[in-house]
Amino acid sequence: MNFSKSEALFERAKVVIPGGVNSPVRAFRAVGGKPFFAARANGAYLYDVDDNAFVDYVCTWGPAILGHAPECVKCAVGAALERGTSFGVPGALEVEMAEMVTAWMPSLEMVRMCNSGTEATMSCIRLARGYTGRDKIIKFEGCYHGHVDSLLVKAGSGALTLGHPDSAGIPASLAAETLCLPFNDLPVLEKVLREVGEQVAAVILEPIPANAGLILPQAGFLQELRRLTAKHGIVLIFDEVMTGFRVGKAGVQGLTGITPDLSAFGKVIGGGLPVGAFGGKRAIMEKLAPLGPVYQAGTLSGNPLAMAAGLAQLRELDANDGFVKLEQLGALLESGVRELLAGKKLGYKFYRIGSMWCLFFTDKEVHNLEDAKTADLAAFNKYFHGMLENGVYVPPSQFETCFISLAHGEVEIRKTLTAMERSL
Ligand SMILES: *Cc1c(COP(=O)(O)O)cnc(C)c1O
């Protein structure tokens, strides 16, 4: 494959953009080599500026659940564009969005829109602190919640990939308010809550962590977490930025029947435009300005183009049994991968929930970040470049999750399995 135009753009980019990218993982540092630059995307395919085509399992890191540039989103955004790009006063689409997501997710009694997943988790933390009058928060190792100061402690995703689990520029005094525990470890959680539970404002987690690869909660972990947080008066925050509207209409909370106090969203809810949202119990949400003392705001929050895109995408997913079809596509891919892996000497672990999947290059079951770190990264990197050469783009890091869209069909899945056979 020829990447000459991408290489030229990367050289120009590095002069004027730190690392040549606007988000670190895009730089391909973890896997080596240089990033390709996108020209356009359609359905299951991403095309670069050299006109190479890739079956895309990154799907813009999750949002493109219908595939790229779906008709319904293009039409809705086009129509909204004609009416204006931003108003600075409330609009009907914001009410429609709030009514729809509160109807889909039983835990959401009220919701507020913002512009990114980072804003959503940041606002949840502030709100939980304002509501409880406590300062400490608990997070879990390998869970990524965006680049919020308090939450960038032992985070996953780009932070993990680059080997900087803690960022510079975060005051030690602030980081000290964040306790970081291993995921899936109830004895440790119980012990910490027994000691400091009454000082903890919130426990935040990805209920299915998807930023350190894909890690599934063990039986009873989420249920017990719900019970313990309630007992100690702690706000339980589900960060469903990745899993919300991806694993089902009501996210992981719908799959498990657990009711968090607050939840954060992003990615799929925006239909490919910059959107975040957070919501939950009325008594907590009413602490937000202008009703209450916790300040939170946004010039472009509830933006009409973004609301139009998100509403169109969510309605399309729901109207056409999207989640059922995504599960079928996921199962098809899984059976092919498992068949292929059965004949391999090296150890692999494959995990999937609906349309999210991850192949770990380790023979150890992965229940937490420590387990994920046993992966053979050199073997993963060889696989990544092999897949790319064979026209399949998987995330450029072992510690990320792959996404299937409704535009992926049997043809693309077969192509993917062939590429895997050649790259493993
Ligand atoms: C992507 C992500 C975020 C951050 O969202 P941005 O829109 O990138 O700010 C937060 N939490 C989780 C679980 C995510 O996957």
Side-chain angles (χ1 to χ4, degrees), residues 23 61 115-119 121 143-147 157 206 210-211 239-243 264-267 275-276:
S23 196
W61 301 96
N115 303 289
S116 69
T118 295
E119 277 184 45
T121 58
C143 282
Y144 176 68
H145 304 294
H147 60 101
S157 197
E206 299 179 69
N211 283 286
D239 177 353
E240 296 226 47
V241 172
M242 195 79 108
T243 51
F265 303 96
K267 299 194 169 112
V275 181

Side-chain angles (χ1 to χ4, degrees), residues 204-261:
I204 185 169
L205 78 162
E206 299 179 69
I208 296 181
N211 283 286
L214 183 65
I215 299 175
L216 302 177
Q218 286 178 289
F221 179 69
L222 296 175
Q223 286 75 7
E224 196 54 16
L225 180 60
R226 175 65 283 187
R227 192 186 67 79
L228 288 168
T229 46
K231 181 177 147 199
H232 291 278
I234 296 168
V235 175
L236 178 61
I237 306 170
F238 271 16
D239 177 353
E240 296 226 47
V241 172
M242 195 79 108
T243 51
F245 313 105
R246 162 63 66 177
V247 300
K249 232 173 132 163
V252 178
Q253 46 196 280
L255 299 184
T256 57
I258 294 170
T259 307
D261 301 307

Side-chain angles (χ1 to χ4, degrees), residues 7-72:
E7 281 165 14
L9 274 171
F10 192 45
E11 290 310 313
R12 279 170 56 197
K14 281 191 290 189
V15 178
V16 284
I17 304 173
V21 292
N22 281 314
S23 196
V25 73
R26 296 182 197 167
F28 281 21
R29 288 272 175 112
V31 288
K34 293 172 183 171
F36 63 84
F37 281 60
R40 63 205 160 86
N42 196 274
Y45 292 86
L46 182 55
Y47 301 86
D48 71 7
V49 287
D50 291 287
D51 222 23
N52 300 307
F54 304 99
V55 176
D56 184 13
Y57 284 98
V58 179
C59 290
T60 186
W61 301 96
I65 195 166
L66 301 174
H68 290 286
E71 269 324 301
C72 63

Side-chain angles (χ1 to χ4, degrees), residues 168-323:
I170 296 175
S173 56
L174 185 63
E177 303 291 357
T178 303
L179 306 174
C180 196
L181 311 183
F183 193 77
N184 270 330
D185 192 335
L186 280 174
V188 170
L189 178 71
E190 270 167 10
K191 179 169 177 288
V192 169
L193 289 184
R194 223 178 301 124
E195 286 164 9
V196 296
E198 315 316 308
Q199 301 166 42
V200 175
V203 172
I204 185 169
L205 78 162
E206 299 179 69
I208 296 181
N211 283 286
L214 183 65
I215 299 175
L216 302 177
Q218 286 178 289
F221 179 69
L222 296 175
Q223 286 75 7
E224 196 54 16
L225 180 60
R226 175 65 283 187
R227 192 186 67 79
L228 288 168
T229 46
K231 181 177 147 199
H232 291 278
I234 296 168
V235 175
L236 178 61
I237 306 170
F238 271 16
D239 177 353
E240 296 226 47
V241 172
M242 195 79 108
T243 51
F245 313 105
R246 162 63 66 177
V247 300
K249 232 173 132 163
V252 178
Q253 46 196 280
L255 299 184
T256 57
I258 294 170
T259 307
D261 301 307
L262 292 176
S263 304
F265 303 96
K267 299 194 169 112
V268 173
I269 199 176
L273 272 78
V275 181
F278 63 100
K281 285 212 168 81
R282 186 174 301 279
I284 305 178
M285 292 300 288
E286 284 183 343
K287 295 290 176 205
L288 276 179
L291 293 180
V294 178
Y295 195 71
Q296 188 277 337
T299 302
L300 292 177
S301 293
N303 175 268
L305 299 189
M307 293 301 99
L311 278 167
Q313 170 150 287
L314 294 179
R315 283 180 180 139
E316 177 78 12
L317 262 176
D318 188 37
N320 291 312
D321 284 334
F323 296 109

Side-chain angles (χ1 to χ4, degrees), residues 344-421:
K344 300 283 171 196
K345 292 197 301 292
L346 270 177
Y348 300 98
K349 286 285 172 279
F350 181 89
Y351 296 100
R352 179 179 73 85
I353 175 97
S355 57
M356 301 167 68
W357 60 277
C358 176
L359 178 62
F360 277 111
F361 285 64
T362 177
D363 47 20
K364 196 171 190 304
E365 290 290 349
V366 178
H367 299 304
N368 56 37
L369 180 61
E370 284 310 305
D371 298 337
K373 286 197 216 142
T374 63
D376 180 344
L377 300 184
F380 175 85
N381 294 353
K382 184 173 151 282
Y383 157 80
F384 169 80
H385 287 289
M387 294 296 275
L388 201 63
E389 273 300 317
N390 282 282
V392 178
Y393 177 48
V394 294
S397 162
Q398 167 74 91
F399 305 110
E400 299 288 353
T401 293
C402 297
F403 300 98
I404 303 170
S405 81
L406 280 176
H408 288 68
E410 279 182 41
V411 174
E412 285 73 31
I413 289 177
R414 224 175 304 121
K415 191 173 155 73
T416 305
L417 293 171
T418 305
M420 265 190 189
E421 181 66 65

